[in-house]
Amino acid sequence: DAVNAMLLNEFLKEHKAFVEQQRKVQEQGTIIAHQQKQIEALTAGLHKVSAEIQMSKTGTQTVLNNQ
């Protein structure tokens, strides 16, 4: 009986550790999804700013060429 009790305790300890790891993995998945959305928003903003800069350069060149 003592061996069975020891085995059960070890199993329960390992199971608890496994459940905790699963919780952490799920939490990290949520964080990764949030960060991916932030990256996409920042990338879109960067593309917008780059396009505005490009338009500004094109407008400046047009003005210089017309003078």
Side-chain angles (χ1 to χ4, degrees):
D1 284 340
V3 172
N4 284 340
M6 286 178 8
L7 289 174
L8 179 60
N9 284 337
E10 284 302 311
F11 171 80
L12 292 174
K13 187 168 63 171
E14 291 299 318
H15 180 69
K16 182 179 178 182
F18 173 77
V19 169
E20 179 63 20
Q21 285 179 339
Q22 291 301 104
R23 185 194 63 77
K24 286 180 181 180
V25 167
Q26 189 173 21
E27 182 179 314
Q28 289 172 343
T30 301
I31 291 169
I32 290 168
H34 178 70
Q35 289 175 337
Q36 185 63 38
K37 287 180 183 178
Q38 286 180 322
I39 289 169
E40 290 169 3
L42 290 170
T43 301
L46 180 61
H47 287 299
K48 181 179 176 183
V49 170
S50 294
E52 289 174 1
I53 290 171
Q54 188 63 35
M55 292 294 288
S56 175
K57 285 181 181 179
T58 302
T60 302
Q61 288 175 352
T62 302
V63 169
L64 290 175
N65 289 338
N66 288 338
Q67 288 181 357

